[in-house]
Amino acid sequence: LDLREVAALRKKIRPRVSWNVIFMKAYALVAREKPELRSCYVAYPWPHLYVHEHNVCMITVGREYRSETRLLFARFNNPDKLPLELLEKQLDGYRDRPVEDFKQFRHQVSFAKVPSIARRLIWSLMFNWCPRKKSSNMGTFGMSLSTYKGSCSDKLLGPGTGLIGVDLLPRKGVSRFLFTFDHRILDGIPAVEVVDQVYKAINGPIKNELQAMIARQVAANSNSKNSIADDSAQAA
């Protein structure tokens, strides 16, 4: 994806907005208009599709916990409705604050201690009998790092209908974007259209939001300089 214009805007913002947040909100904006991206396949009591009302994103976060590196999953509710600044603050919190501060992280650590046969039973119940709870525990879509220092994944595995892989270090503004999808819900041509719509969302609403953020920061800096000049004049 050619994201050079967005990359140039991103460099002007402090604190900088991560590519994770940019792609998360762009995909959520697309999923808001495409219910199939918020759907999940339910096998029992009869095969059918369940459509979640809202977007829930789960991002893989690597954390040090009790002298071990663990993969935890950070939840973002309704990312399509939240400003980029707030999403970035939430992501920074998930990365920096103690694991014990987050109820979902504590639950994930505890659940990992449950015997595998019991975990599989709970997963089956959640997938097939309580699909409404699936979004809060597993999200409607997932995100992970897919490209780093030249290496690139060819697919992602997870429980969501759609999983997106983000390139955190695009070269000269050109980013690789990996989209893995559930073929029982989405066909190949619509999946390609999803990627195209995500690209348009980044170069449309997301770019506009970044420009608005820059304008606010410029105005804030100008007001701060004027205030310092007024204080200096009064002191003189």
Side-chain angles (χ1 to χ4, degrees):
L1 306 181
D2 185 354
L3 303 175
R4 283 176 287 186
E5 291 185 20
V6 173
L9 293 172
R10 179 175 167 269
K11 290 180 180 179
K12 299 178 182 180
I13 297 174
R14 294 292 183 275
R16 189 168 293 179
V17 178
S18 68
W19 287 109
N20 271 326
V21 165
I22 289 173
F23 276 98
M24 183 206 317
K25 184 166 183 178
Y27 183 90
L29 288 171
V30 175
R32 185 170 66 187
E33 305 301 325
K34 297 181 74 67
E36 57 268 37
L37 297 180
R38 291 180 278 107
S39 302
C40 62
Y41 177 81
V42 181
Y44 302 103
W46 60 85
H48 64 283
L49 299 181
Y50 178 87
V51 181
H52 297 283
E53 184 177 355
H54 304 293
N55 283 303
V56 181
C57 176
M58 302 292 278
I59 292 185
T60 305
V61 178
R63 294 296 310 270
E64 292 290 330
Y65 180 70
R66 295 184 178 177
S67 302
E68 289 184 332
T69 300
R70 304 185 67 121
L71 289 181
L72 299 171
F73 304 95
R75 183 174 63 237
F76 296 80
N77 296 317
N78 298 306
D80 50 302
K81 299 179 181 179
L82 300 178
L84 294 171
E85 299 102 317
L86 180 55
L87 292 171
E88 189 64 38
K89 287 181 181 178
Q90 290 181 2
L91 181 57
D92 289 342
Y94 284 128
R95 287 171 169 167
D96 300 330
R97 289 170 52 189
V99 170
E100 294 82 358
D101 285 2
F102 300 98
K103 183 178 180 180
Q104 58 184 289
F105 284 175
R106 297 196 303 269
H107 284 179
Q108 291 167 23
V109 171
S110 298
F111 190 66
K113 300 176 183 178
V114 176
S116 60
I117 188 171
R119 290 203 306 269
R120 290 179 181 275
L121 175 61
I122 294 171
W123 283 332
S124 178
L125 291 172
M126 189 179 303
F127 270 88
N128 299 305
W129 299 96
C130 304
R132 173 181 286 185
K133 294 184 177 296
K134 181 182 174 184
S135 62
S136 61
N137 290 279
M138 298 182 178
T140 58
F141 71 97
M143 290 184 61
S144 184
L145 172 67
S146 65
T147 301
Y148 186 67
K149 291 185 176 181
S151 62
C152 184
S153 303
D154 63 348
K155 63 181 176 180
L156 298 171
L157 297 179
T161 295
L163 296 117
I164 59 177
V166 176
D167 185 354
L168 298 183
L169 299 171
R171 297 184 178 183
K172 297 181 179 180
V174 178
S175 176
R176 294 182 178 181
F177 178 63
L178 177 63
F179 180 41
T180 307
F181 59 94
D182 188 340
H183 216 327
R184 296 171 298 182
I185 298 173
L186 202 63
D187 199 10
I189 292 177
V192 174
E193 292 174 349
V194 167
V195 176
D196 184 56
Q197 290 168 352
V198 170
Y199 175 68
K200 291 178 180 178
I202 294 176
N203 280 294
I206 300 298
K207 185 172 75 172
N208 294 339
E209 186 173 352
L210 291 172
Q211 290 172 333
M213 291 172 63
I214 294 172
R216 288 196 300 270
Q217 289 187 4
V218 170
N221 291 336
S222 177
N223 291 336
S224 177
K225 291 179 181 179
N226 291 336
S227 178
I228 293 174
D230 291 341
D231 291 343
S232 298
Q234 292 177 2

